[in-house]
């Protein structure tokens, strides 16, 4: 059984991944308390004592609006966790010949009219931060740092992950919508934002193959088609409520016009054809992912 270290194992995506993958690998899970990746000395010391075939780095500063407050601060926690942490991990993985899987996002792209998605695995990573928020820019930098390190790596991008079993520390987009509906607090959803989503359970088979075969490069694991928050939200709530649910239409273009908004991809999303071909797998559509989410909720 392959020995794997999962960094950020207590997080929303990784904790579900670990439950589903625990019988397939010999997994060690680390979080901030057990291995603080902002401390390069701690990483070196940890890897002197422990060996792994593969490291998966799920850890990141993921609150997009809170990250924006640190915009431009290369001494701040967002930079340290999202860029310097991956840099130190890539160095140790290079030195010790460990396969590094680093988790990323389509927020590395601006998703604007000038450079719209959906992006392919081969789309050039923007070299400047125009139109990209600080979270996305630090994730963009992390990808570069890993590529430049010379280590054996796979960079996995996905967007808008969601899971059926409850995660107490934060709400994913789907759970948030169910709560808003139950509490009669539903607000309008954007009809002019393109996005890919991913049911977290659907990460497991592709990641297993990537780990087993040490498949390198930039890979996208996401719904096969893109959607909008209004379209996927209406579909989700109709299946949840068992009847059509009227949701007001909102505009992200208008939303982003208000001062102080954090830049986020409006024309985002990820193409998956190359990854599907490489892995010999077909990913689900966003509708099939939501169907599976509802099936699990009801079981
Ligand atoms: N959530 C999304 O919508 C989304 C979308 C696309 C991509 N992603 C990417 O997916 C990955 C996982 O996201 P998530 O939302 O599941 O994350 P999350 O729930 O915010 O979890 C973050 C994890 O990072 C750990 N961490 C924080 N500071 C650390 C440190 N200094 N050293 C080591 N670990 C530290 C946390 O541990 P503690 O609990 O101990 O602090 C936690 O386990 C991230 O790389 C993110 O960029 C997320």
């Amino acid at each position: 059984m392959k020995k794997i270290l999962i960094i950020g194992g207590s997080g929303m995506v990784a904790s579900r991944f670990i439950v589903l993958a625990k019988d397939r690998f010999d997994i060690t899970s680390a979080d901030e308390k057990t291995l603080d990746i902002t401390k390069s000395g701690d990483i070196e010391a940890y890897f002197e004592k422990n060996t792994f075939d593969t490291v998966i780095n799920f850890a990141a500063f993921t609150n997009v609006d809170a990250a924006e407050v640190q915009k431009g601060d290369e001494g701040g926690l967002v930079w340290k966790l999202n860029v310097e942490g991956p840099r130190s991990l890539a160095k140790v993985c290079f030195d010790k010949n460990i396969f590094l899987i680093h988790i990323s996002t389509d927020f590395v792209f601006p998703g604007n009219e000038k450079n719209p998605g959906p992006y392919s695995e081969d789309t050039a990573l923007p070299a400047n931060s125009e139109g990209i928020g600080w979270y996305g820019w630090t994730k963009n930098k992390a990808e570069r740092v890993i590529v430049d390190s010379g280590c054996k790596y796979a960079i996995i991008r996905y967007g808008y992950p969601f899971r059926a079993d409850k995660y107490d520390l934060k709400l994913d987009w789907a759970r948030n919508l169910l709560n808003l509906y139950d509490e009669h607090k539903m607000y309008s959803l954007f009809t002019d934002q393109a996005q890919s989503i991913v049911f977290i359970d659907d990460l497991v088979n592709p990641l297993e193959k990537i780990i087993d075969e040490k498949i390198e490069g930039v890979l996208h694991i996401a719904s096969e088609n893109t959607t909008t928050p209004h379209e996927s939200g209406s579909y989700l709530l109709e299946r949840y409520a068992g009847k059509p649910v009227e949701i007001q239409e909102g505009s992200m273009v208008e939303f982003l016009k208000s001062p102080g908004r954090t830049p986020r991809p409006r024309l985002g999303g990820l193409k998956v054809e190359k990854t599907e071909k490489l892995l010999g797998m077909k990913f689900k559509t966003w509708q099939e992912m939501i169907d599976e989410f509802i099936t699990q909720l009801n079981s």
Side-chain angles (χ1 to χ4, degrees):
M1 231 186 206
K2 283 214 158 72
K3 256 191 106 182
I4 294 183
L5 174 66
I6 298 203
I7 296 175
S10 59
M12 186 181 84
V13 180
S15 59
R16 178 67 184 159
F17 174 79
I18 290 170
V19 166
L20 296 169
K22 67 178 185 319
D23 297 329
R24 307 189 193 188
F25 304 107
D26 175 1
I27 293 178
T28 301
S29 171
D31 58 22
E32 192 182 349
K33 288 162 276 297
T34 38
L35 176 59
D36 182 347
I37 62 163
T38 65
K39 296 182 176 145
S40 59
D42 286 10
I43 293 181
E44 276 166 35
Y46 185 86
F47 281 87
E48 281 310 313
K49 287 193 223 125
N50 302 285
T51 59
F52 301 96
D53 297 299
T54 299
V55 170
I56 312 183
N57 179 33
F58 283 95
F61 190 107
T62 57
N63 184 326
V64 177
D65 289 320
E68 199 61 15
V69 177
Q70 295 181 26
K71 194 172 184 81
D73 181 4
E74 296 191 5
L77 178 61
V78 182
W79 184 271
K80 281 190 191 155
L81 182 50
N82 291 3
V83 183
E84 297 307 329
R87 192 193 305 279
S88 306
L89 287 172
K91 182 178 180 312
V92 88
C93 287
F94 176 77
D95 290 345
K96 300 201 173 287
N97 196 25
I98 296 169
F99 184 43
L100 175 63
I101 299 182
H102 175 77
I103 303 299
S104 195
T105 162
D106 64 339
F107 278 48
V108 298
F109 299 105
N112 56 17
E113 283 76 7
K114 253 178 154 176
N115 183 1
Y119 303 98
S120 86
E121 296 84 342
D122 295 324
T123 303
L125 204 56
N128 69 66
S129 63
E130 202 188 321
I132 303 176
W134 189 237
Y135 163 76
W137 183 241
T138 56
K139 297 290 288 185
N140 170 312
K141 281 286 185 186
E143 290 195 11
R144 284 176 193 285
V145 156
I146 287 162
V147 171
D148 292 346
S149 72
C151 76
K152 279 202 187 85
Y153 72 86
I155 289 169
I156 309 295
R157 297 189 191 125
Y158 52 70
Y160 297 92
F162 64 117
R163 53 189 274 179
D165 64 324
K166 210 158 179 271
Y167 178 70
D168 289 330
L169 299 180
K170 80 178 177 197
L171 293 177
D172 59 53
W173 66 270
R175 183 71 64 172
N176 184 41
L177 290 188
L178 300 190
N179 286 356
L180 289 169
Y181 175 78
D182 286 340
E183 294 164 10
H184 306 288
K185 290 181 182 160
M186 198 58 221
Y187 44 61
S188 61
L189 296 176
F190 300 142
T191 54
D192 57 354
Q193 180 188 10
Q195 58 179 189
S196 299
I197 63 173
V198 71
F199 189 50
I200 296 171
D201 298 27
D202 290 318
L203 293 171
V204 179
N205 286 338
L207 279 174
E208 182 179 26
K209 183 148 189 174
I210 292 162
I211 294 164
D212 280 343
E213 298 178 18
K214 288 198 166 58
I215 296 172
E216 295 183 58
V218 175
L219 302 165
H220 292 173
I221 308 177
S223 53
E224 204 177 36
N225 47 355
T226 58
T227 182
T228 70
H230 189 273
E231 186 182 39
S232 54
S234 302
Y235 187 87
L236 172 80
L237 289 184
E238 177 167 351
R239 263 144 198 77
Y240 179 63
K243 59 178 186 196
V245 174
E246 187 90 24
I247 302 175
Q248 284 198 341
E249 296 188 357
S251 164
M252 191 170 179
V253 169
E254 291 306 316
F255 175 84
L256 289 174
K257 277 183 188 161
S258 300
R261 298 286 189 213
T262 305
R264 299 173 144 75
R266 185 178 75 77
L267 304 171
L270 297 164
K271 292 182 182 166
V272 295
E273 288 80 4
K274 182 180 173 186
T275 302
E276 285 182 316
K277 220 169 164 189
L278 207 62
L279 301 185
M281 290 179 180
K282 192 117 184 79
F283 297 160
K284 289 187 185 133
T285 61
W286 63 261
Q287 293 93 333
E288 289 168 332
M289 289 182 174
I290 290 175
D291 289 347
E292 179 57 28
F293 170 86
I294 294 290
T295 302
Q296 286 192 22
L297 269 192
N298 292 337
S299 68

